[in-house]
Amino acid sequence: VEPTAHAAPTRLQPIAAPGGPADALDLALAIDIGGTKLAAGLVDAAGQVVTRRERPTPPATSGQATVVTAALFDLLDEVLAADPWPGGRAPAALAGVGLACAGPIDVVAGTVSPVNIPAWRGEPLVAAVAAHLDRPTVHLVNDAVAMTVGEHGRGAARGADDVLGIVVSTGVGGGLVLGGEPRLGPTGNAGHVGHTVLAVDGEPCPCGSRGCVETRASAPSMVRDALAHGWRPGGNAPGDAEADGRALAASAMAGDPIALAAIDRGTAALAAGIVSAAALVDLDLVVIGGGFAAAGDVLFDPLRRHLDDLRGMPFLGRLRVVPAELGRDAGLVGAAQVARHP
Ligand SMILES: [Zn+2]
């Protein structure tokens, strides 16, 4: 039976306002902060990203919080200056500001402590962004929740009520839409599938625990695994090829057995996290985004094989895993939606 029984529109559905001169200024500012990149954009009421800018997340270490914050502020200034705002109404004219950030976050305190941005620990980012933009309200949301909300609103998870979104990139983020609504939890951290524990005797995780799904399934984890087994980025033409997820996927697509084996082990860990989450909250759909997920079949084929191997109980049989459709826009679309409909 196809899991499409829940077709009722939900409150998360973006308002598909017809475009027109009157709508041109109805823009929300969306921000998406991850361990790899900082992105920001203006998103219209129909959930379309009308302008976006991004830059790499500065490799700042503990004690260098202002390095990352300054890069973010530069990016925001660039976005707000980039578009023609008839009448010069930015940023006071913004419909809202949505701030998606890698977890963990604290939506009550307005602080962020992204596992993969060590410079920020308990960083009061909501107040800082609000002050920089001179806006009273900034809506903070976990980045993977924003991605999930975006995909649910107008991407791969349209029409599905119970969805886990996963961002496979520097880390493994996750967010839940349950019963058609985002499930945030009291601190905004529900859905952290990357830090569900896979092996109690596993290797240490940057989060402070050990054996987390992220220690096996993130792009850097799979790269480390491959390197430890003798993988050379760039194959027979090494040199300036960087040892990253993109290079690993390229090697796997070229048939490199070491790359394929590392991805196989990594996707087995990801499948274990997915099956565990689905067993807990009874999911229809898993949407996977993030830089590494862009690798496509070379990631999804082994992932689906491991899922089929690990799913036991009959209700897990209907679970489907699909790639995100909105690409690098998903987090921005979701953050804007959260800002408009908090
Ligand atoms: Zn962890």
Side-chain angles (χ1 to χ4, degrees), residues 195 205 207 212:
H195 299 281
C205 180
C207 78
C212 297

Side-chain angles (χ1 to χ4, degrees), residues 230-257:
W231 171 63
R232 289 183 308 158
N236 291 326
D240 49 12
E242 206 172 325
D244 59 9
R246 189 188 303 257
L248 185 65
S251 287
M253 277 183 269
D256 182 318

Side-chain angles (χ1 to χ4, degrees), residues 82-105:
D83 247 38
W85 288 75
R89 292 166 61 186
L94 290 170
V97 180
L99 172 59
C101 186
I105 62 176

